[in-house]
Amino acid sequence: MNVFVTGGAGYIGSHVVRRLIEAGHRVRVYDNLSEGHAAAVPAETLFVGDLMDEDRLVEGLADGFDCVMHFAAHCYVGESMEAPEKYYRNNVVGSLRLLSAMRKAGAGRIVFSSSAATYGEPDEVPIPEDHPTRPINAYGQTKLDFEHALRYYAGAYGLGYVALRYFNAAGAAPDAHIGEDHDPETHLVPIVLEAALGRRDAVKIFGSDYPTPDGTCVRDYIHVWDLAQAHILAMEAIETGSGRTYNLGNGSGYSVREVIETARRVTGRKISAVDVPRRPGDPPALVASSRRIAQELGWTPEFPDLQTIIETAWRWHQAHPDGYGD
Ligand code: UFG
């Protein structure tokens, strides 16, 4: 298929692009390179443009695409509370421009990067897709707002979509050629590995008084390579005029302390950690039920255990201590 990938030079997008190409699909990456890295994708796939620029989107989409995968978004929960306008502009207004450009260009299918942040503080874990959605930060709200837009556009204009609610993406491509490189880095796994490399002092543990077994937050870590495979299955299953929402996680929760302990084992390095106050906006525990995508699309994770996720991330960090170096 011909696939148009917004934000395809970012962390998750670039892994999906790799798997799409390996599976024989033709890809165009639409990215403004504000957070993505040109080196993360083959040069011939890159089409530089901004999500807010509808004319450029129409130009990019002109060659006839069977499916759009939409990753381009701001994704820092904390920042979204300090600068909500930035999040609404890009994640909602920009995304609506993409839908408008798709209608003009005759592209009728989209796979959307949604988030576990749409649930807010869950009543139960593992969280099923029909759990109430009550985001507790602007980031999660913008993702939910766009999911709603997709539903109405499907009903009115015949759009076909799948929204994938990711839990905590981590890890790197098995060959370690591409991986995670954010600036600033806020995610736990890369931060812990930067500490293992001696590039950071002690890891700060945000909160040790949560109602969890060891007092630290519990998350469901999913390998980015498995996440990428789910996008391909989703793309193949989309039917026009309807939509489906799927969680993507492994169904196992690990605490912050368990992540640090696993990283110590994997790296064999000393990783100091220090308890600090809670980070605002963090739910105590987020664990996915991914039964729906397993049953309906046959998704089976290849790397479900935390140790393997961290091993692949460690290979990337060791080989690329400066990330992409840009
Ligand atoms: N954490 C620390 N120290 C750090 C960094 C993180 O203790 O230096 C903790 C956080 O408080 C949290 C856990 O490690 O409990 C994981 O934090 P991340 O920042 O790696 O990931 P989040 O769970 O906050 O966020 C992820 C995605 C978001 C998404 C969210 C859904 O990155 O895009 O899951 O809740 F919105």
Side-chain angles (χ1 to χ4, degrees), residues 74-77 114-118 120 137 139-140 143 166-169 180 185-192 200 202-207 210 216-219 221 254-256 259-260 274 276 278-279 281-284 286:
H74 294 307
C75 68
Y76 296 119
V77 169
S114 190
S115 170
T118 53
N137 51 63
Y139 166 73
K143 290 285 177 180
Y166 312 152
F167 283 65
N168 287 60
E180 186 165 11
E185 190 53 79
T186 65
H187 296 108
L188 181 64
V189 170
I191 283 178
V192 168
R200 225 177 240 278
V203 176
K204 294 189 181 112
I205 298 177
F206 296 140
Y210 283 100
T216 68
C217 285
V218 168
R219 293 289 182 272
Y221 294 88
Y254 294 94
S255 72
V256 175
V259 169
I260 297 170
V274 48
V276 301
R278 293 181 180 196
R279 184 173 71 175
D282 277 340
L286 288 172

Side-chain angles (χ1 to χ4, degrees), residues 3-9 17 27-31 41-42 45-48:
V3 192
F4 186 83
V5 186
T6 77
V17 166
V27 175
R28 173 170 290 165
V29 171
Y30 186 90
D31 201 300
V41 292
T45 63
L46 189 58
F47 189 96
V48 177

